[in-house]
Coordinates of all heavy atoms in Angstrom, one line a residue:
F1 N -35.4 -2.3 -36.1 CA -34.4 -1.4 -36.7 C -34.5 -0.1 -36.0 O -35.5 0.3 -35.5 CB -34.6 -1.3 -38.2 CG -35.9 -0.8 -38.7 CD1 -36.2 0.5 -38.9 CD2 -36.9 -1.8 -38.9 CE1 -37.4 0.9 -39.4 CE2 -38.1 -1.4 -39.4 CZ -38.4 0.0 -39.6
W2 N -33.4 0.6 -36.0 CA -33.3 2.0 -35.4 C -33.8 3.0 -36.4 O -33.5 2.9 -37.6 CB -31.9 2.3 -35.0 CG -31.5 1.5 -33.8 CD1 -30.8 0.3 -33.8 CD2 -31.9 1.7 -32.5 NE1 -30.7 -0.1 -32.5 CE2 -31.4 0.7 -31.7 CE3 -32.7 2.7 -31.8 CZ2 -31.6 0.6 -30.3 CZ3 -32.9 2.6 -30.5 CH2 -32.3 1.6 -29.7
V3 N -34.4 4.0 -35.9 CA -35.0 5.1 -36.7 C -34.5 6.4 -36.2 O -34.5 6.7 -35.0 CB -36.5 5.1 -36.7 CG1 -37.0 6.2 -37.6 CG2 -37.0 3.8 -37.2
V4 N -34.0 7.3 -37.1 CA -33.8 8.7 -36.7 C -34.6 9.5 -37.7 O -34.4 9.4 -38.9 CB -32.3 9.1 -36.8 CG1 -32.1 10.6 -36.5 CG2 -31.4 8.2 -35.9
D5 N -35.5 10.3 -37.2 CA -36.5 11.0 -38.0 C -36.4 12.5 -37.8 O -36.3 13.0 -36.7 CB -37.9 10.6 -37.6 CG -39.0 11.4 -38.4 OD1 -38.8 11.6 -39.6 OD2 -40.0 11.8 -37.7
N6 N -36.3 13.3 -38.9 CA -36.3 14.7 -38.9 C -37.8 15.1 -38.6 O -38.6 15.0 -39.5 CB -35.9 15.3 -40.2 CG -35.9 16.8 -40.3 OD1 -36.6 17.5 -39.5 ND2 -35.1 17.4 -41.2
N7 N -38.1 15.5 -37.4 CA -39.5 15.8 -37.0 C -40.0 17.1 -37.6 O -41.2 17.4 -37.3 CB -39.6 15.8 -35.5 CG -38.8 16.8 -34.8 OD1 -38.5 17.8 -35.3 ND2 -38.4 16.5 -33.5
T8 N -39.3 17.8 -38.4 CA -39.8 19.0 -39.1 C -40.4 18.6 -40.4 O -41.0 19.4 -41.1 CB -38.7 20.1 -39.3 OG1 -37.8 19.5 -40.2 CG2 -38.1 20.5 -38.0
M9 N -40.3 17.3 -40.8 CA -40.8 16.9 -42.1 C -42.0 16.0 -41.9 O -42.0 15.2 -41.0 CB -39.7 16.2 -42.9 CG -38.5 17.0 -43.3 SD -37.3 16.1 -44.2 CE -38.1 16.0 -45.8
A10 N -43.0 16.1 -42.8 CA -44.1 15.2 -42.7 C -44.1 14.2 -43.9 O -43.5 14.6 -45.0 CB -45.4 16.0 -42.7
P11 N -44.6 13.1 -43.9 CA -45.3 12.4 -42.8 C -44.2 11.7 -41.9 O -43.1 11.7 -42.3 CB -46.2 11.4 -43.4 CG -45.4 11.0 -44.7 CD -44.7 12.3 -45.1
V12 N -44.7 11.2 -40.8 CA -43.7 10.5 -39.9 C -43.5 9.1 -40.6 O -44.3 8.6 -41.4 CB -44.3 10.2 -38.5 CG1 -44.4 11.5 -37.8 CG2 -45.6 9.5 -38.5
P13 N -42.3 8.5 -40.3 CA -41.9 7.3 -41.0 C -42.9 6.1 -40.7 O -43.4 6.0 -39.5 CB -40.5 6.9 -40.5 CG -40.1 8.1 -39.8 CD -41.2 9.0 -39.4
S14 N -43.1 5.3 -41.7 CA -43.9 4.1 -41.4 C -43.3 2.9 -42.1 O -42.6 3.0 -43.1 CB -45.4 4.3 -41.9 OG -45.4 4.4 -43.3
F15 N -43.6 1.7 -41.6 CA -43.0 0.5 -42.0 C -44.2 -0.5 -42.3 O -45.0 -0.7 -41.4 CB -42.1 0.0 -40.9 CG -41.6 -1.4 -41.1 CD1 -40.5 -1.7 -42.0 CD2 -42.1 -2.5 -40.4 CE1 -40.0 -3.0 -42.1 CE2 -41.6 -3.8 -40.5 CZ -40.6 -4.0 -41.4
T16 N -44.4 -0.9 -43.5 CA -45.5 -1.8 -43.9 C -45.0 -3.1 -44.4 O -44.2 -3.2 -45.3 CB -46.4 -1.1 -45.0 OG1 -46.8 0.1 -44.5 CG2 -47.5 -2.0 -45.4
A17 N -45.4 -4.2 -43.7 CA -45.1 -5.6 -44.2 C -46.2 -6.1 -45.0 O -47.3 -6.0 -44.7 CB -44.8 -6.4 -42.9
K18 N -45.8 -6.8 -46.1 CA -46.7 -7.4 -47.0 C -46.4 -8.8 -47.3 O -45.2 -9.2 -47.3 CB -46.8 -6.6 -48.4 CG -47.2 -5.2 -48.2 CD -47.4 -4.4 -49.5 CE -48.0 -3.1 -49.3 NZ -48.3 -2.4 -50.6
N19 N -47.4 -9.6 -47.6 CA -47.2 -11.0 -48.0 C -46.9 -11.1 -49.5 O -46.8 -10.1 -50.2 CB -48.3 -11.9 -47.5 CG -49.6 -11.6 -48.3 OD1 -49.6 -10.9 -49.3 ND2 -50.7 -12.1 -47.8
S20 N -46.7 -12.4 -50.0 CA -46.3 -12.5 -51.4 C -47.4 -12.1 -52.3 O -47.1 -11.9 -53.5 CB -46.0 -14.0 -51.6 OG -47.1 -14.8 -51.3
S21 N -48.7 -12.0 -51.9 CA -49.8 -11.5 -52.7 C -49.9 -10.0 -52.7 O -50.7 -9.4 -53.4 CB -51.1 -12.1 -52.3 OG -51.0 -13.5 -52.3
G22 N -49.1 -9.3 -51.9 CA -49.1 -7.9 -51.8 C -50.1 -7.4 -50.8 O -50.3 -6.2 -50.6
A23 N -50.7 -8.3 -50.0 CA -51.7 -7.9 -49.0 C -50.9 -7.3 -47.8 O -49.9 -7.9 -47.4 CB -52.6 -9.0 -48.6
V24 N -51.4 -6.3 -47.2 CA -50.8 -5.7 -46.0 C -51.0 -6.6 -44.8 O -52.1 -6.9 -44.5 CB -51.3 -4.3 -45.7 CG1 -50.8 -3.7 -44.4 CG2 -51.0 -3.3 -46.9
L25 N -49.8 -7.0 -44.2 CA -49.9 -7.8 -42.9 C -50.0 -6.9 -41.7 O -50.7 -7.2 -40.7 CB -48.7 -8.7 -42.8 CG -48.6 -9.7 -44.0 CD1 -47.2 -10.4 -43.9 CD2 -49.7 -10.6 -44.0
E26 N -49.2 -5.8 -41.7 CA -49.1 -4.9 -40.6 C -48.4 -3.6 -41.0 O -47.5 -3.6 -41.8 CB -48.4 -5.5 -39.4 CG -48.4 -4.8 -38.1 CD -49.8 -4.8 -37.5 OE1 -50.4 -5.9 -37.3 OE2 -50.2 -3.7 -37.1
T27 N -48.8 -2.5 -40.4 CA -48.1 -1.2 -40.6 C -47.8 -0.6 -39.2 O -48.7 -0.6 -38.3 CB -49.0 -0.2 -41.4 OG1 -49.3 -0.8 -42.7 CG2 -48.3 1.1 -41.5
V28 N -46.6 -0.2 -39.1 CA -46.2 0.5 -37.8 C -45.7 1.9 -38.2 O -44.9 2.1 -39.1 CB -45.0 -0.3 -37.1 CG1 -44.6 0.4 -35.9 CG2 -45.4 -1.8 -36.9
T29 N -46.2 2.8 -37.4 CA -45.8 4.2 -37.6 C -45.0 4.7 -36.5 O -45.3 4.5 -35.3 CB -47.1 5.1 -37.8 OG1 -47.9 4.6 -38.8 CG2 -46.8 6.6 -38.1
F30 N -43.9 5.4 -36.8 CA -42.9 5.9 -35.8 C -43.5 7.1 -35.1 O -43.3 8.2 -35.6 CB -41.6 6.2 -36.5 CG -40.5 6.6 -35.5 CD1 -40.0 5.6 -34.7 CD2 -40.0 7.8 -35.5 CE1 -39.0 6.0 -33.8 CE2 -39.0 8.2 -34.6 CZ -38.5 7.3 -33.8
Q31 N -44.1 6.9 -34.0 CA -44.6 7.9 -33.2 C -45.0 7.4 -31.8 O -44.9 6.2 -31.6 CB -45.9 8.5 -33.8 CG -47.0 7.6 -34.0 CD -48.1 8.2 -34.9 OE1 -48.1 9.3 -35.4 NE2 -49.2 7.4 -35.1
G32 N -45.3 8.3 -30.9 CA -45.7 7.9 -29.5 C -44.7 7.1 -28.8 O -43.5 7.6 -28.7
A33 N -45.0 5.9 -28.3 CA -44.2 5.1 -27.5 C -42.9 4.6 -28.2 O -41.9 4.2 -27.5 CB -44.9 3.9 -26.9
L34 N -42.9 4.6 -29.5 CA -41.7 4.2 -30.3 C -40.6 5.2 -30.3 O -39.5 4.8 -30.5 CB -42.1 3.9 -31.7 CG -43.1 2.7 -31.9 CD1 -43.5 2.6 -33.4 CD2 -42.6 1.4 -31.4
V35 N -40.9 6.4 -30.0 CA -39.9 7.5 -29.9 C -39.2 7.4 -28.5 O -39.9 7.6 -27.5 CB -40.5 8.9 -30.2 CG1 -39.4 10.0 -30.0 CG2 -41.1 8.9 -31.5
D36 N -37.9 7.1 -28.5 CA -37.2 7.0 -27.3 C -36.6 8.3 -26.8 O -36.3 8.5 -25.6 CB -36.0 6.0 -27.4 CG -36.6 4.6 -27.6 OD1 -37.6 4.3 -27.0 OD2 -35.9 3.8 -28.3
G37 N -36.3 9.3 -27.7 CA -35.7 10.5 -27.3 C -35.7 11.5 -28.5 O -36.1 11.2 -29.6
H38 N -35.1 12.7 -28.2 CA -35.0 13.8 -29.1 C -33.6 14.4 -29.1 O -33.1 14.6 -28.0 CB -36.0 14.9 -28.9 CG -37.4 14.3 -28.6 ND1 -38.3 14.0 -29.5 CD2 -38.0 14.1 -27.4 CE1 -39.4 13.5 -29.0 NE2 -39.3 13.6 -27.7
V39 N -33.1 14.8 -30.2 CA -31.8 15.6 -30.3 C -32.1 16.6 -31.4 O -32.2 16.3 -32.5 CB -30.6 14.7 -30.7 CG1 -29.4 15.6 -30.8 CG2 -30.4 13.6 -29.7
G40 N -32.2 17.9 -30.9 CA -32.5 19.0 -31.9 C -33.8 18.7 -32.6 O -34.9 18.5 -32.0
V41 N -33.8 18.6 -33.9 CA -35.0 18.3 -34.7 C -35.2 16.9 -35.0 O -36.1 16.5 -35.8 CB -35.0 19.1 -36.0 CG1 -35.1 20.6 -35.8 CG2 -33.9 18.7 -36.9
A42 N -34.4 16.0 -34.4 CA -34.4 14.6 -34.7 C -35.1 13.8 -33.5 O -34.7 14.0 -32.4 CB -33.0 14.0 -34.9
D43 N -36.0 12.9 -33.9 CA -36.5 12.0 -32.9 C -35.8 10.6 -33.2 O -35.6 10.3 -34.4 CB -38.0 11.8 -33.1 CG -38.8 13.0 -32.8 OD1 -38.4 13.9 -32.0 OD2 -39.9 13.2 -33.4
Y44 N -35.6 9.9 -32.2 CA -34.9 8.6 -32.5 C -35.6 7.5 -31.6 O -36.2 7.8 -30.6 CB -33.4 8.6 -32.2 CG -33.1 8.9 -30.8 CD1 -33.0 7.9 -29.8 CD2 -32.8 10.2 -30.4 CE1 -32.7 8.2 -28.5 CE2 -32.5 10.5 -29.0 CZ -32.4 9.5 -28.1 OH -32.1 9.8 -26.8
G45 N -35.5 6.3 -32.1 CA -36.1 5.1 -31.4 C -36.0 3.9 -32.2 O -35.3 3.8 -33.2
F46 N -36.7 2.9 -31.8 CA -36.7 1.5 -32.4 C -38.1 1.2 -32.9 O -39.1 1.4 -32.2 CB -36.2 0.5 -31.4 CG -36.1 -0.9 -31.9 CD1 -35.0 -1.3 -32.6 CD2 -37.1 -1.8 -31.6 CE1 -34.9 -2.6 -33.1 CE2 -37.1 -3.1 -32.1 CZ -36.0 -3.5 -32.8
M47 N -38.1 0.6 -34.1 CA -39.4 0.0 -34.6 C -39.2 -1.4 -35.0 O -38.1 -1.8 -35.3 CB -39.7 0.8 -35.9 CG -40.2 2.2 -35.8 SD -40.5 3.0 -37.3 CE -41.9 2.2 -38.0
G48 N -40.2 -2.2 -35.0 CA -40.2 -3.6 -35.4 C -41.5 -4.1 -35.7 O -42.5 -3.4 -35.4
I49 N -41.6 -5.2 -36.3 CA -42.9 -5.8 -36.7 C -42.8 -7.3 -36.7 O -41.7 -7.9 -36.9 CB -43.3 -5.3 -38.1 CG1 -44.8 -5.5 -38.3 CG2 -42.5 -6.0 -39.2 CD1 -45.4 -4.7 -39.4
W50 N -43.9 -7.9 -36.3 CA -44.0 -9.4 -36.3 C -45.3 -9.8 -37.0 O -46.3 -9.1 -36.8 CB -44.0 -9.9 -34.9 CG -44.1 -11.4 -34.8 CD1 -43.2 -12.3 -34.8 CD2 -45.4 -12.1 -34.7 NE1 -43.7 -13.6 -34.8 CE2 -45.1 -13.5 -34.7 CE3 -46.7 -11.8 -34.7 CZ2 -46.0 -14.5 -34.7 CZ3 -47.7 -12.7 -34.6 CH2 -47.3 -14.1 -34.6
A51 N -45.2 -10.8 -37.8 CA -46.4 -11.2 -38.5 C -46.5 -12.8 -38.4 O -45.5 -13.5 -38.4 CB -46.4 -10.8 -40.0
A52 N -47.7 -13.3 -38.3 CA -48.0 -14.7 -38.2 C -47.8 -15.4 -39.6 O -47.6 -16.6 -39.7 CB -49.4 -15.0 -37.7
E53 N -47.8 -14.6 -40.6 CA -47.7 -15.0 -42.0 C -46.3 -14.6 -42.5 O -45.7 -13.6 -42.0 CB -48.8 -14.3 -42.8 CG -49.1 -14.9 -44.1 CD -50.3 -14.2 -44.8 OE1 -51.2 -13.8 -44.1 OE2 -50.2 -14.1 -46.0
N54 N -45.8 -15.3 -43.5 CA -44.5 -14.9 -44.1 C -44.5 -13.5 -44.7 O -45.4 -13.2 -45.4 CB -44.0 -15.9 -45.2 CG -43.6 -17.2 -44.6 OD1 -43.3 -17.3 -43.4 ND2 -43.7 -18.3 -45.4
I55 N -43.5 -12.7 -44.3 CA -43.4 -11.4 -44.9 C -42.5 -11.5 -46.2 O -41.4 -12.0 -46.1 CB -42.7 -10.4 -43.9 CG1 -43.6 -10.3 -42.6 CG2 -42.5 -9.1 -44.5 CD1 -42.9 -9.5 -41.5
A56 N -43.1 -11.1 -47.3 CA -42.4 -11.2 -48.6 C -41.7 -9.9 -48.9 O -40.6 -9.9 -49.5 CB -43.4 -11.5 -49.7
R57 N -42.2 -8.7 -48.4 CA -41.5 -7.5 -48.7 C -42.0 -6.4 -47.7 O -43.0 -6.6 -47.0 CB -41.8 -7.0 -50.1 CG -43.2 -6.5 -50.3 CD -43.3 -5.8 -51.7 NE -44.5 -5.1 -51.8 CZ -45.4 -5.3 -52.7 NH1 -45.3 -6.2 -53.6 NH2 -46.5 -4.5 -52.7
V58 N -41.2 -5.4 -47.6 CA -41.5 -4.3 -46.7 C -41.4 -3.0 -47.5 O -40.6 -2.9 -48.4 CB -40.5 -4.2 -45.4 CG1 -40.7 -5.4 -44.6 CG2 -39.1 -4.0 -45.9
E59 N -42.2 -2.1 -47.1 CA -42.2 -0.7 -47.7 C -42.0 0.3 -46.5 O -42.7 0.2 -45.5 CB -43.5 -0.4 -48.4 CG -43.7 -1.3 -49.6 CD -45.0 -1.1 -50.3 OE1 -45.8 -0.2 -49.8 OE2 -45.3 -1.7 -51.3
I60 N -41.0 1.1 -46.7 CA -40.6 2.1 -45.7 C -40.9 3.5 -46.3 O -40.3 3.7 -47.4 CB -39.2 1.9 -45.2 CG1 -39.0 0.5 -44.6 CG2 -38.8 3.0 -44.2 CD1 -37.6 0.2 -44.4
S61 N -41.6 4.3 -45.6 CA -41.9 5.6 -46.2 C -41.4 6.7 -45.3 O -41.5 6.6 -44.1 CB -43.4 5.8 -46.4 OG -44.0 5.8 -45.1
Q62 N -40.7 7.7 -45.9 CA -40.3 8.9 -45.2 C -39.0 9.4 -45.9 O -38.0 8.6 -45.9 CB -40.1 8.8 -43.7 CG -39.6 10.0 -43.0 CD -40.2 11.3 -43.3 OE1 -40.1 11.8 -44.4 NE2 -40.8 11.9 -42.3
D63 N -39.0 10.6 -46.4 CA -37.8 11.1 -47.0 C -36.8 11.6 -46.0 O -35.6 11.6 -46.3 CB -38.2 12.2 -48.0 CG -39.0 11.7 -49.2 OD1 -38.8 10.5 -49.5 OD2 -39.7 12.5 -49.8
G64 N -37.2 12.1 -44.9 CA -36.3 12.7 -43.9 C -35.9 11.9 -42.8 O -35.8 12.3 -41.6
S65 N -35.7 10.6 -43.0 CA -35.4 9.7 -41.9 C -34.2 8.8 -42.3 O -33.9 8.6 -43.4 CB -36.6 8.7 -41.6 OG -37.7 9.5 -41.2
L66 N -33.6 8.3 -41.3 CA -32.5 7.3 -41.4 C -32.9 6.0 -40.7 O -33.5 6.0 -39.6 CB -31.2 7.8 -40.7 CG -30.6 9.1 -41.3 CD1 -29.5 9.5 -40.3 CD2 -30.1 8.9 -42.7
F67 N -32.7 4.9 -41.4 CA -33.0 3.6 -40.8 C -31.7 2.8 -40.8 O -30.9 2.8 -41.7 CB -34.0 2.8 -41.7 CG -35.3 3.5 -41.8 CD1 -35.6 4.4 -42.9 CD2 -36.3 3.4 -40.9 CE1 -36.8 5.1 -43.0 CE2 -37.5 4.0 -41.0 CZ -37.8 4.9 -42.0
D68 N -31.5 2.1 -39.6 CA -30.2 1.4 -39.5 C -30.5 0.0 -38.8 O -31.4 -0.1 -38.0 CB -29.3 2.2 -38.6 CG -27.9 1.7 -38.6 OD1 -27.5 0.9 -39.5 OD2 -27.1 2.0 -37.7
N69 N -29.7 -0.9 -39.1 CA -29.8 -2.3 -38.5 C -31.1 -3.0 -38.8 O -31.6 -3.6 -37.9 CB -29.5 -2.2 -37.0 CG -28.1 -1.8 -36.7 OD1 -27.2 -2.0 -37.5 ND2 -27.9 -1.2 -35.5
L70 N -31.6 -2.8 -40.0 CA -32.8 -3.5 -40.4 C -32.5 -5.0 -40.5 O -31.6 -5.4 -41.2 CB -33.3 -3.0 -41.7 CG -34.5 -3.7 -42.3 CD1 -35.7 -3.6 -41.4 CD2 -34.8 -3.2 -43.7
T71 N -33.1 -5.8 -39.7 CA -32.9 -7.3 -39.7 C -34.2 -8.0 -40.1 O -35.3 -7.7 -39.6 CB -32.5 -7.8 -38.3 OG1 -31.4 -7.0 -37.9 CG2 -32.2 -9.2 -38.3
F72 N -34.1 -8.9 -41.0 CA -35.2 -9.6 -41.5 C -34.9 -11.1 -41.3 O -33.9 -11.6 -41.8 CB -35.4 -9.3 -43.0 CG -36.7 -10.0 -43.6 CD1 -37.9 -9.4 -43.4 CD2 -36.6 -11.1 -44.3 CE1 -39.0 -9.9 -44.0 CE2 -37.7 -11.7 -44.9 CZ -38.9 -11.1 -44.7
S73 N -35.7 -11.8 -40.5 CA -35.4 -13.2 -40.2 C -36.7 -13.9 -40.1 O -37.7 -13.4 -39.7 CB -34.6 -13.4 -39.0 OG -35.3 -12.9 -37.8
G74 N -36.7 -15.2 -40.4 CA -37.9 -16.1 -40.3 C -37.8 -16.9 -39.1 O -36.7 -17.2 -38.5
V75 N -38.9 -17.3 -38.6 CA -39.0 -18.2 -37.4 C -39.2 -19.6 -38.0 O -40.1 -19.8 -38.9 CB -40.1 -17.9 -36.5 CG1 -40.3 -18.8 -35.4 CG2 -39.9 -16.4 -36.0
P76 N -38.4 -20.6 -37.6 CA -38.6 -21.9 -38.2 C -39.9 -22.5 -37.9 O -40.5 -22.3 -36.8 CB -37.5 -22.8 -37.5 CG -36.9 -22.0 -36.4 CD -37.4 -20.5 -36.6
E77 N -40.4 -23.3 -38.8 CA -41.7 -24.0 -38.6 C -41.5 -25.0 -37.5 O -40.4 -25.4 -37.1 CB -42.1 -24.7 -39.9 CG -41.1 -25.7 -40.3 CD -41.3 -26.1 -41.8 OE1 -41.2 -25.2 -42.6 OE2 -41.4 -27.3 -42.0
P78 N -42.6 -25.5 -36.8 CA -42.5 -26.4 -35.7 C -41.7 -27.7 -35.9 O -40.9 -28.1 -35.1 CB -44.0 -26.7 -35.4 CG -44.7 -25.6 -35.9 CD -44.0 -25.1 -37.1
T79 N -41.8 -28.3 -37.1 CA -41.0 -29.5 -37.4 C -39.6 -29.2 -37.4 O -38.8 -29.9 -36.8 CB -41.5 -30.1 -38.8 OG1 -42.9 -30.3 -38.8 CG2 -40.8 -31.4 -39.1
S80 N -39.1 -28.1 -38.1 CA -37.7 -27.8 -38.2 C -37.2 -27.5 -36.8 O -36.1 -27.8 -36.4 CB -37.5 -26.6 -39.1 OG -37.9 -26.9 -40.4
L81 N -38.0 -26.8 -36.0 CA -37.6 -26.4 -34.6 C -37.4 -27.6 -33.8 O -36.5 -27.8 -33.0 CB -38.6 -25.5 -34.0 CG -38.3 -24.8 -32.7 CD1 -37.0 -24.0 -32.9 CD2 -39.4 -23.9 -32.3
A82 N -38.3 -28.6 -33.9 CA -38.2 -29.9 -33.2 C -37.0 -30.6 -33.5 O -36.3 -31.2 -32.7 CB -39.5 -30.7 -33.4
L83 N -36.7 -30.7 -34.8 CA -35.4 -31.4 -35.3 C -34.2 -30.7 -34.7 O -33.2 -31.3 -34.3 CB -35.4 -31.5 -36.8 CG -36.4 -32.4 -37.4 CD1 -36.3 -32.3 -39.0 CD2 -36.1 -33.9 -37.0
L84 N -34.2 -29.4 -34.7 CA -33.1 -28.6 -34.2 C -32.9 -28.9 -32.7 O -31.8 -29.1 -32.2 CB -33.3 -27.1 -34.4 CG -32.2 -26.2 -34.0 CD1 -30.9 -26.4 -34.7 CD2 -32.7 -24.7 -34.2
A85 N -34.0 -29.0 -32.0 CA -33.9 -29.3 -30.5 C -33.4 -30.7 -30.3 O -32.6 -30.9 -29.4 CB -35.3 -29.1 -29.9
V86 N -33.8 -31.7 -31.1 CA -33.3 -33.0 -30.9 C -31.8 -33.1 -31.2 O -31.1 -33.7 -30.5 CB -34.1 -34.0 -31.8 CG1 -33.4 -35.4 -31.9 CG2 -35.5 -34.1 -31.4
G87 N -31.4 -32.4 -32.2 CA -29.9 -32.3 -32.5 C -29.2 -31.7 -31.4 O -28.1 -32.1 -31.0
A88 N -29.7 -30.6 -30.8 CA -29.0 -29.9 -29.7 C -28.9 -30.8 -28.5 O -27.8 -30.9 -27.8 CB -29.7 -28.6 -29.4
V89 N -29.9 -31.6 -28.2 CA -29.9 -32.5 -27.1 C -28.8 -33.6 -27.3 O -28.1 -33.9 -26.4 CB -31.3 -33.1 -26.8 CG1 -31.2 -34.3 -25.9 CG2 -32.2 -32.0 -26.3
A90 N -28.8 -34.1 -28.5 CA -27.8 -35.1 -28.8 C -26.4 -34.6 -28.7 O -25.5 -35.3 -28.1 CB -28.0 -35.6 -30.3
V91 N -26.1 -33.4 -29.1 CA -24.8 -32.8 -29.0 C -24.4 -32.6 -27.5 O -23.3 -32.9 -27.0 CB -24.7 -31.4 -29.7 CG1 -23.4 -30.7 -29.4 CG2 -24.7 -31.7 -31.2
L92 N -25.4 -32.1 -26.7 CA -25.1 -31.8 -25.3 C -24.9 -33.2 -24.6 O -24.0 -33.3 -23.7 CB -26.3 -31.1 -24.7 CG -26.4 -29.6 -25.1 CD1 -27.7 -29.0 -24.5 CD2 -25.2 -28.8 -24.6
R93 N -25.7 -34.2 -24.9 CA -25.5 -35.5 -24.3 C -24.2 -36.1 -24.6 O -23.5 -36.7 -23.7 CB -26.6 -36.4 -24.8 CG -27.0 -37.5 -24.0 CD -28.2 -38.1 -24.4 NE -28.5 -39.3 -23.5 CZ -29.2 -40.3 -23.8 NH1 -29.8 -40.3 -25.0 NH2 -29.3 -41.3 -23.0
R94 N -23.7 -35.9 -25.8 CA -22.4 -36.4 -26.2 C -21.3 -35.7 -25.4 O -20.3 -36.3 -24.9 CB -22.2 -36.2 -27.7 CG -20.9 -36.8 -28.2 CD -20.9 -36.8 -29.7 NE -19.8 -37.5 -30.2 CZ -19.4 -37.6 -31.4 NH1 -20.1 -36.9 -32.3 NH2 -18.4 -38.3 -31.8
R95 N -21.4 -34.4 -25.1 CA -20.4 -33.7 -24.4 C -20.4 -34.1 -22.9 O -19.4 -34.2 -22.3 CB -20.7 -32.2 -24.4 CG -20.3 -31.5 -25.7 CD -20.5 -30.1 -25.6 NE -20.0 -29.4 -26.8 CZ -20.0 -28.2 -27.1 NH1 -20.5 -27.3 -26.2 NH2 -19.5 -27.7 -28.2
W96 N -21.6 -34.4 -22.3 CA -21.7 -34.8 -20.9 C -21.0 -36.2 -20.7 O -20.5 -36.4 -19.6 CB -23.1 -34.9 -20.5 CG -23.8 -33.6 -20.3 CD1 -23.1 -32.4 -20.0 CD2 -25.1 -33.3 -20.4 NE1 -24.1 -31.4 -19.9 CE2 -25.3 -31.9 -20.1 CE3 -26.3 -34.0 -20.7 CZ2 -26.5 -31.3 -20.1 CZ3 -27.5 -33.4 -20.7 CH2 -27.6 -32.1 -20.4
R97 N -21.0 -37.0 -21.7 CA -20.4 -38.4 -21.6 C -18.9 -38.3 -21.6 O -18.2 -39.3 -21.2 CB -20.9 -39.3 -22.7 CG -22.3 -39.7 -22.5 CD -22.8 -40.6 -23.5 NE -24.2 -41.0 -23.4 CZ -24.8 -41.9 -24.0 NH1 -24.1 -42.7 -24.8 NH2 -26.1 -42.2 -23.7
R98 N -18.3 -37.3 -22.1 CA -16.8 -37.2 -22.2 C -16.2 -36.9 -20.9 O -16.5 -36.4 -20.0 CB -16.4 -36.1 -23.2 CG -16.7 -36.6 -24.6 CD -16.2 -35.6 -25.6 NE -16.5 -36.0 -26.9 CZ -16.2 -35.4 -28.0 NH1 -15.5 -34.3 -27.9 NH2 -16.5 -35.8 -29.2

């Protein structure tokens, strides 16, 4: 997701992903290499997170920031992915025969 942060306010924005038990999976803080540029007192850039475990909720902290285009999606498990691939091959094969 995109972040615009008022750099005159503390703390810097952070994004914490938690599992269904409430355990922290990962925390990302908007600073350093994540900041793509500056306009006046605003820093802007992109933040994201990936976890090997299912993310049940996220906590975003910072009062002086804007977040946009937050996307939350799951990656299919291997069995579902394999079935999807088999279906795609069948559709493509059918098109080639026509």
Side-chain angles (χ1 to χ4, degrees):
F1 55 93
W2 288 102
V3 179
V4 178
D5 175 44
N6 180 339
N7 60 29
T8 64
M9 298 180 73
V12 294
S14 68
F15 171 78
T16 302
K18 295 185 175 186
N19 65 14
S20 59
S21 300
V24 173
L25 300 174
E26 188 70 47
T27 297
V28 179
T29 303
F30 185 67
Q31 59 189 3
L34 296 175
V35 177
D36 292 328
H38 315 278
V39 176
V41 298
D43 296 334
Y44 62 88
F46 180 81
M47 288 174 68
I49 199 164
W50 177 88
E53 198 175 326
N54 287 338
I55 298 172
R57 72 173 194 237
V58 296
E59 294 176 359
I60 302 170
S61 66
Q62 175 47 294
D63 291 335
S65 297
L66 300 171
F67 298 94
D68 192 19
N69 294 334
L70 176 63
T71 303
F72 185 81
S73 63
V75 176
E77 62 197 56
T79 304
S80 299
L81 191 57
L83 289 173
L84 183 62
V86 168
V89 168
V91 168
L92 291 173
R93 203 166 177 205
R94 188 173 186 185
R95 283 186 177 180
W96 286 334
R97 289 184 181 191
R98 287 184 181 182

